[in-house]
Each structure stands twice: as structure tokens, then as C-alpha cells.
Amino acid sequence: MSSPDTVNNGGQKNSFKRAFQGQQKTNNKRFKKQKGKDSARTVGSHEEVLEADIRSLLRERRGGPVNDENASDVASAEVEKEQIPERFSEVEVEIENLSSTGDGLGFLFRKHDDSTSDKLTSPHSKDSRVYVVPFTVPGDIALARVVHHNDSRNTSGGPITSNLLSSHTLCDYLRILTPSPQRDDSLVRCRYFTTCSGCQFQHLPYTQQLTHKQTIYTRAYTNFSSLPASAIPAIQPTIGSPLQYGYRTKLTPHFDGPPGSMNRGARRRGEVKGFEKTPEIGFMRKGGKRGVTVDIEQCVIGTEAVGKGLTKERERVGRELERYKKGATLLLRESTVRVPKRKGEDGAANQRRIGADVKVEGTDEAATEENAQAPQANGDSSHTTSNVKLAPDEPQTDSAAPTNDPTATYEDPGHSLPYLLRKTCITDPKGTSTEYVGNYIFENPANSFFQNNTSILPRFTQYIQDHVLRPPERIENAVDAASSTENHREGGDDNHTQPRAAEDSKITNLIDAYSGSGLFSLTLSPLFTRTLGIDISADSITSAKRNLALNNLSPHSNNTSQTNDPTASNPTHNRENATSSSSTEKTPRNIDFVSADASSLFSHPAITGTSSSASHIPGSTNSPSDGFNPRNTAVILDPPRKGCDLNFLRQLRDFGPQRVVYVSCNVHTQARDVGWLVGEASATRDEGMTGDVMLDEEEGQRVGEENEGVREEGQTTETGGEKGVRRREGEEKKVPRYEIESLQPFDFFPQTAHVEGVAVLNRVD
């Protein structure tokens, strides 16, 4: 059977083969580089995640473990007997599972023969080759084109794939022969779906997307944390996005250079001709010839302003083709300002005066009843803004003037609010974008990182506000335990002194690692008397300090204003520091940002207390010389997709904060890092992260010699790396013990397989 869109002739087959081989060489080079850098560490790549899901499916099919050598040998024999389809041939695949990468996993379609086979046995129970087909769901029977057979052992080099056989075949999607009941193609809004690589789930109802993302998070901890099931709490239902389409505030379409532009020799000789016509501008193709750009005129997951910006940029590139001698990436970044409504008039009247469509937030035509019932974080304050703040450069007049920007759109956030949201698209990488989260304002360089779905940010930041501090019962238990320890403690060894009073158990400090432009530092600041944001990028710190000023918060000062406190309107908000006080009590705040490499973060003077940055605040349990007391400190992490490096994790463990909130756009590397922090406190636990024992030479010598006798008093050694903590020789190293309190997925990117995860860890030793 052949698709009307594809002609299965020899010439086309060879072109597919050449295109794939070229892409394969590129991927191999990239893999060798990655493997040489760190050959034994889980990186959470697409390939690793896919292979883990394939092994799980094979385990279910075979009814036994796939990491057993005997099972692998049996599977290998089955592969040898199996007739493998020729590359670039067409096959029919019955999909059984949906992977964490968004691809369907299945087996060659075989009709059931009830007269000769056991009805209780799957026709695929002995199959050892999984076929990976994008844009499919369990229950589909799809026509697919074979692209690549993967039969190698340990293809990713990680510890999870060692000595395992993961036989699978990558396929291109052609069409659906028999649709699954789970599939609803009427939901698809994009004419490029199944061609563009951007979306995977437009054919799935949104509630099913949320359920699957909960499954992705569960699999991540099962496959990558190395923790027993008893140490992993149940993954909570995914908190959905208010907008399922039109939510992305940043897109970066690209176009390729003219023919020959990638040839350096041709460029040097001046043999590269310019564009003869406007090139394809858009995103990478999924399937077919690799490395091809799909021409995208509109992206349905981008905001309206971003869509207008795309149209404008496509026209500009067409006019200015002579400027480009090679390909380029375009920037489309939404920027929002609050425009005051005309006094005494509602949104409809303002719409007539502005002359633009006013879109009421939350009335997306896709917001069906099931979408409206998507799980939300408690205390969602996306429409409960008080103390309205207008853009800093926006005149607070009694009328809203029109704008000449063709990308401008207007939204009415609610009739009770005295402003409209004017949204425009910035295309200059050196420009500045403005966004609001609740009643906080953030300005950032247009090409820098900021969350791309601002519609979910109020729910997201509210959830973290509700969970960054310990629940009240944990505080009571900590105080009781501390009192009991004090009552029964004998002797006066200061090294083992436990907290003795309730105030010693309060968390008053926040360290925001990977702070960026200050999203968490600012929105969480009302909960703490002292906040320190740290980022390696000096530009990010500059933006963070500007945002500090924009929100009327100054560094090194006791800010007591509740103007920006999102908890002020919520008297039931769980604020640990408000014990025995009014919910409106003003909390002194001290906020600062410093530039530092995360690998040396916890040795920074602002944390150790050896700098004036560690200024004392009345009511804090810290003093300038103490720095940050870990028992009174929460640390929030929001690293890039690769997660945290080992040196940082060692320092975090040695510092031992009372709470850790780990925010991640890659739940697989998060699971790896959290698993390391929560895992058994032993040197052998460290070994699995790098393949080498992580104890330093001095530390190993100390462990080997500590039973030889009492060392000379006062003799010390450096441990925990170059930036380690000094302690007495022979003294047992106390490794903080953590448990996972909660794991919460968020859907920042509907229609895709991406999921954001928030892991909350509590110190329990």
C-alpha cells in the first residue's frame, strides 16, 4: 500500500537513503563528542528516554526483565530469526504504547487468528523489535516508512543501557489505516501537523495530554532516579495551561542559506549565488528528507502578536534578500504593557476607541468544558490582581491611545481591572521585552530566556509559593524533635547542637540558584527575610537588579511594603514565617543578586558570610559572620535541560539546606539529580553518577584511616572538592538526608511532549 503523497520508486528511495546517511553522520559526530565528555552519566537525551520506554515495553511483552543477560541473549536470537523489513520500505504498525518522546511504539501488524492462537496471548508477545512511529496513539494501525534499524547494545553509553538489547526501528509517519478510539483528528488546527516537528499531540484531547504527561513524569523517576519505588511519592495530576493554543510568547523560525552557502571553499572563491526567491522560513521537517525546513506561514501555538510578527518578518526577509549570504534565525518575542482603560467605559467601549480586537483572557475557542476542568494549582491568582501597576513608561491618562505597531493586539483581562493588555512582537534581539506575572513586572533582553507560556505562570508561581516552605505539621514536628533532643542531650559538644526553639526551625532565607532575571527571587520574596539570586550570566544579573527596582524592591534594605506581595490577599496562604501573627503582618525583606558560577555557588562570600553582601536583617537568625544558616534556608533550582553538574550537587549536599525546590524543563535529568540527592548516603551511591568514585583522594584516605586511632586534635583536611568544607580529621562526615515531599508536573507546552516538573525535597535528618 502506498500513500498518495509518496511514490515508492527507486529514485526517491535512494534520495531518502542519502539524506538519512548524511544526518546519521552528523548525529554520530555529536554523540561521540558527548560520549567523550562524560561517557557514563545519564543526560536525559531523546535517544536515552526513548530507549528506556522501549525496554519497558519489551519487558511487558516478554513478561520478564530485559536487563538480565539471559533475556538479552534470547532476544538477540529472536532478532537473528526475525525478518527485518528493508530500509525505506513501507510497513503496517499496530501501536501499543505512547513514549515519553511523543512517538508511538508498536509492532508489525498481524491479524489475530483465534482458531490457532491463545486468545489470552498477545500476537506480539514474542516480538523483539519495536517500531517507533510519530503522530500515532495506542490502538492506531499506521502505515509507516522504515528509516533506520537500531540493533546496537549500549547505544547511549549511559548506565541504564549497559548490556541491554534495545532493538527498534525508526519510521516516518505516512498515514493512519485504522484510527484508535483515543484519536480525534477533528482537534487538529495546524495544516502543518505531521510535517512540522514542533507538535506531537494535536490529535489528542487535552485531558489525555495531561494524563500522559503525568505518566512521562512517573517514567522519568522509574527509569532515571535509581530510587526504590518506596522513595518516590505518587506523581500528582498535571496542572494544565489556561491556553492550549496561542500561548507561546517566543518563536525562532529560521531559513537556510542559498545553494552552496555551506561550502567554505565556494564562499571564499565568491561562487555562492544569492537567493533567487524567498526561502522556506519556518521549522524543521519531521520525517522525509532530514535537515529540511518546512515553510510555516502561521504557527497556531504562537500568540496572536507573535503570529503578526511572523507575517511581518517573512515580508521583510523577502524585501531584503540581498542582505543574506547565508541562513539566519529570526526572533519573535511578545512584549506586554498595561494600557489604562478610559474612565467610565467598559472593554467594548475601549475596543471601539482602540480600533483593535479586544480578546478577553480565558475565552480561547478551544477552551472546552474538559479543558476548563483541567487541574489547577490551589490559589490560582491569574485574575485577582490588586494594586494595579502600569508599564513604567506608560502615561497614566484617562484614555488609551492607538498604536502604529502592526503587530499590536489588545486583551481585556477582566471588566473589574482598569487596564488592557497591549501586546506587540519584538524582532530585534537587542530589544527589551516586558511581561507581568501576577502583579510583578519583568523586563528582559528580547533574546534572553524567560518562560514562553506566561498564561500558566500565575498558577506555577503560586504553587511554588505554597510549597517552598514546610507545611505547619512539619514545623511542629521539627520543633518537638528539637526540644526533645535538647532535653535529653548530655554534654556540650557544639558540633552536635540541635535547634532548641521554634524560631530556629523557621525558614527565613532563600537562595535562588540559576536565578536568571529574578522570576522566583522576586515572586517568593514576601515569604523570606533574606533572598539571594545567583546566576553565571552577568547580563541576567543586570536584568534581575533592574526588575528589583521596577518592583520597588531595593537590595540591602528592609523592604516592608506589601504592595507586591501576592499572598496579602490570601489570608489562608500557608506561610511558615507567619506563625502566631497576622496574615497581613509586614515581613522585612533583603534581596540581592550576584553573578557566580553554579559550580562554586555555595562558597560565594554572600553565602559564607565573608562579604558585606551578607548583611544582617533584624529578626533573622543569621548574622553577617554566619552567612546563610542551612537549617533556615530553602534553595530553589531551575537549571537548563542538562540539569545540575556533579560539583554543584556535591556542594548542595554538603551545604544541606532545609528545603530544595527543583524546577526543571527536563524531568529525566531532574530525576537523575534528585535521585542522587535522596539516594543512600554512601560513597558507592556517588559512583553511579560518573563511573568513578566521587570521593576526593584526601577523603578516601581519611575513610581508610579513620579507625586507626584518634588524630591529633585540630588537624584538618579539605574535602568535597576544591571548594569543599573544612572539618576535623577523623570526624565522621554527616551527609544530609532528604526525602521527596512532592512531584508536580505542569503543562507549559500543550500539543507537545514537553513537561515541566517541580520536585520538593525536605531534609529529614
Side-chain angles (χ1 to χ4, degrees):
M1 301 178 68
S2 62
S3 167
D5 297 330
T6 59
V7 179
N8 192 12
N9 56 49
Q12 186 188 42
K13 183 183 294 185
N14 289 334
S15 68
F16 278 117
K17 188 174 182 179
R18 288 193 299 271
F20 172 77
Q21 288 173 342
Q23 181 70 13
Q24 187 180 30
K25 290 179 181 179
T26 303
N27 289 340
N28 287 342
K29 288 180 181 179
R30 186 182 303 117
F31 169 69
K32 287 178 181 177
K33 261 176 120 178
Q34 173 184 291
K35 184 175 181 180
K37 184 176 181 182
D38 190 351
S39 61
R41 194 180 189 211
T42 299
V43 296
S45 66
H46 183 282
E47 292 78 12
E48 267 188 312
V49 173
L50 180 61
E51 286 190 4
D53 287 347
I54 289 171
R55 287 193 306 276
S56 296
L57 178 59
L58 291 175
R59 182 185 300 114
E60 294 174 2
R61 293 290 88 198
R62 296 169 186 162
V66 295
N67 59 343
D68 182 82
E69 282 298 325
N70 294 330
S72 296
D73 293 339
V74 171
S76 181
E78 290 174 356
V79 170
E80 291 177 359
K81 297 178 181 179
E82 182 182 6
Q83 184 178 359
I84 301 176
E86 182 184 356
R87 284 183 178 178
F88 312 113
S89 63
E90 295 181 0
V91 294
E92 295 181 5
V93 181
E94 184 174 9
I95 306 301
E96 287 202 8
N97 207 333
L98 189 57
S99 74
S100 299
T101 62
D103 302 307
L105 305 179
F107 301 91
L108 290 181
F109 175 63
R110 299 173 183 173
K111 294 182 179 180
H112 295 259
D113 186 355
D114 294 339
S115 63
T116 59
S117 64
D118 187 348
K119 296 181 180 180
L120 299 179
T121 303
S122 166
H124 309 303
S125 60
K126 294 184 179 180
D127 284 351
S128 58
R129 177 169 299 277
V130 175
Y131 289 78
V132 183
V133 186
F135 309 115
T136 57
V137 298
D140 280 340
I141 299 177
L143 182 68
R145 178 185 290 112
V146 173
V147 174
H148 175 59
H149 297 300
N150 187 335
D151 299 318
S152 61
R153 293 172 180 259
N154 197 20
T155 55
S156 66
I160 294 182
T161 58
S162 298
N163 300 319
L164 295 179
L165 185 65
S166 179
S167 299
H168 61 275
T169 294
L170 302 178
C171 301
D172 285 345
Y173 169 90
L174 295 179
R175 61 189 175 92
I176 296 297
L177 301 176
T178 304
S180 164
Q182 299 182 32
R183 186 182 195 92
D184 187 351
D185 288 324
S186 69
L187 299 174
V188 176
R189 291 196 185 186
C190 179
R191 66 179 183 269
Y192 310 107
F193 185 63
T194 72
T195 302
C196 173
S197 61
C199 294
Q200 296 81 46
F201 293 154
Q202 289 192 26
H203 55 295
L204 273 181
Y206 191 52
T207 52
Q208 291 187 33
Q209 294 185 37
L210 296 179
T211 299
H212 182 61
K213 294 189 179 188
Q214 182 183 18
T215 301
I216 292 174
Y217 208 8
T218 301
R219 290 175 180 170
Y221 274 79
T222 299
N223 295 332
F224 294 95
S225 71
S226 300
L227 292 173
S230 59
I232 305 172
I235 308 295
Q236 297 301 304
T238 307
I239 294 177
S241 170
L243 299 176
Q244 292 84 56
Y245 285 93
Y247 62 83
R248 278 198 72 118
T249 58
K250 181 184 179 183
L251 290 175
T252 53
H254 66 273
F255 59 90
D256 300 320
S261 62
M262 298 300 292
N263 188 314
R264 294 183 180 179
R267 291 201 306 268
R268 285 196 300 267
R269 294 188 298 269
E271 297 175 356
V272 179
K273 296 181 181 180
F275 289 101
E276 296 180 356
K277 62 177 183 178
T278 303
E280 288 77 12
I281 302 173
F283 307 104
M284 296 302 296
R285 175 183 293 276
K286 181 73 171 179
K289 185 177 179 181
R290 266 58 177 175
V292 173
T293 301
V294 181
D295 194 47
I296 305 291
E297 294 182 355
Q298 283 295 322
C299 178
V300 296
I301 62 174
T303 65
E304 185 178 357
V306 165
K308 290 184 176 182
L310 176 58
T311 300
K312 180 181 175 182
E313 280 295 276
R314 289 174 59 90
E315 294 173 351
R316 181 191 63 77
V317 170
R319 294 192 306 268
E320 302 176 0
L321 278 180
E322 68 279 359
R323 287 182 50 195
Y324 297 98
K325 304 303 180 185
K326 55 183 181 179
T329 298
L330 308 178
L331 172 67
L332 307 171
R333 166 73 83 176
E334 182 179 272
S335 182
T336 303
V337 294
R338 288 174 175 174
V339 180
K341 293 178 181 177
R342 187 175 181 124
K343 293 180 179 179
E345 295 185 350
D346 59 13
N350 277 279
Q351 175 182 349
R352 291 192 296 272
R353 291 190 178 277
I354 292 173
D357 291 335
V358 177
K359 179 181 176 183
V360 178
E361 185 175 324
T363 58
D364 183 6
E365 36 183 49
T368 61
E369 181 178 355
E370 70 168 13
N371 294 340
Q373 295 175 352
Q376 300 182 14
N378 294 331
D380 179 14
S381 58
S382 57
H383 302 296
T384 58
T385 307
S386 59
N387 300 312
V388 174
K389 180 183 297 180
L390 301 178
D393 299 326
E394 192 69 41
Q396 299 191 33
T397 61
D398 63 351
S399 65
T403 176
N404 295 324
D405 190 332
T407 70
T409 63
Y410 290 83
E411 296 179 7
D412 187 346
H415 297 301
S416 62
L417 299 176
Y419 59 82
L420 301 173
L421 302 176
R422 186 178 72 193
K423 297 176 178 289
T424 56
C425 183
I426 298 174
T427 58
D428 181 2
K430 297 181 180 179
T432 300
S433 65
T434 303
E435 291 294 350
Y436 293 85
V437 180
N439 205 36
Y440 290 90
I441 185 171
F442 293 90
E443 288 189 355
N444 301 280
N447 65 342
S448 66
F449 172 79
F450 195 77
Q451 294 289 358
N452 291 337
N453 182 352
T454 55
S455 75
I456 198 175
L457 280 182
R459 297 179 179 181
F460 183 61
T461 55
Q462 184 66 56
Y463 177 87
I464 296 176
Q465 288 168 12
D466 290 341
H467 292 80
V468 67
L469 300 174
R470 292 175 296 183
E473 61 271 16
R474 287 195 180 275
I475 305 172
E476 295 173 2
N477 293 340
V479 173
D480 291 343
S483 300
S484 176
T485 300
E486 175 62 20
N487 291 335
H488 293 86
R489 184 171 60 89
E490 295 181 1
D493 186 355
D494 292 338
N495 292 325
H496 301 283
T497 300
Q498 300 293 329
R500 291 178 294 175
E503 57 268 19
D504 292 324
S505 299
K506 290 182 180 178
I507 298 176
T508 57
N509 308 318
L510 175 69
I511 296 175
D512 182 7
Y514 310 93
S515 64
S517 60
L519 173 64
F520 296 120
S521 296
L522 270 60
T523 56
L524 297 176
S525 63
L527 305 178
F528 301 94
T529 57
R530 194 174 180 200
T531 299
L532 179 67
I534 301 182
D535 198 280
I536 191 174
S537 170
D539 291 339
S540 294
I541 295 302
T542 299
S543 296
K545 290 184 176 181
R546 172 161 175 75
N547 291 329
L548 200 63
L550 287 174
N551 289 278
N552 300 319
L553 299 172
S554 302
H556 306 315
S557 65
N558 299 335
N559 299 287
T560 58
S561 171
Q562 291 283 325
T563 301
N564 296 308
D565 188 347
T567 68
S569 61
N570 185 4
T572 63
H573 180 73
N574 173 30
R575 178 183 294 178
E576 178 178 320
N577 298 333
T579 305
S580 303
S581 63
S582 169
S583 62
T584 59
E585 179 183 351
K586 298 179 179 179
T587 304
R589 284 183 276 172
N590 180 304
I591 311 174
D592 200 6
F593 294 92
V594 295
S595 178
D597 189 344
S599 63
S600 58
L601 187 151
F602 292 101
S603 62
H604 193 280
I607 294 178
T608 60
T610 58
S611 167
S612 58
S613 297
S615 54
H616 181 56
I617 304 173
S620 172
T621 59
N622 297 278
S623 68
S625 60
D626 290 337
F628 280 72
N629 183 342
R631 286 295 190 179
N632 305 119
T633 300
V635 173
I636 187 164
L637 313 175
D638 188 11
R641 290 188 61 81
K642 66 179 181 180
C644 301
D645 66 38
L646 290 171
N647 192 28
F648 174 84
L649 290 175
R650 291 190 191 104
Q651 290 187 65
L652 176 65
R653 178 193 61 186
D654 291 343
F655 177 69
Q658 182 61 49
R659 301 278 281 181
V660 176
V661 178
Y662 192 138
V663 177
S664 178
C665 58
N666 186 340
V667 294
H668 307 94
T669 53
Q670 182 200 75
R672 175 202 68 198
D673 295 344
V674 169
W676 187 84
L677 286 171
V678 175
E680 183 181 357
S682 66
T684 54
R685 171 191 57 158
D686 299 343
E687 191 172 355
M689 291 291 285
T690 61
D692 298 315
V693 177
M694 282 174 43
L695 288 177
D696 300 312
E697 183 177 352
E698 291 176 322
E699 175 74 357
Q701 183 178 0
R702 183 196 65 75
V703 172
E705 297 176 351
E706 64 181 350
N707 293 325
E708 293 181 4
V710 179
R711 302 296 179 92
E712 293 182 11
E713 187 174 357
Q715 186 179 359
T716 60
T717 186
E718 192 82 11
T719 62
E722 294 180 359
K723 305 294 184 180
V725 180
R726 299 186 72 88
R727 65 178 183 274
R728 292 182 180 180
E729 191 74 44
E731 177 187 332
E732 181 183 357
K733 182 177 181 180
K734 297 184 63 176
V735 178
R737 189 164 62 89
Y738 289 93
E739 67 177 10
I740 306 174
E741 185 175 287
S742 60
L743 296 170
Q744 177 64 62
F746 284 83
D747 186 17
F748 271 72
F749 299 101
Q751 319 310 328
T752 78
H754 297 291
V755 57
E756 194 96 359
V758 178
V760 178
L761 278 62
N762 189 60
R763 183 172 174 177
V764 294
D765 63 296

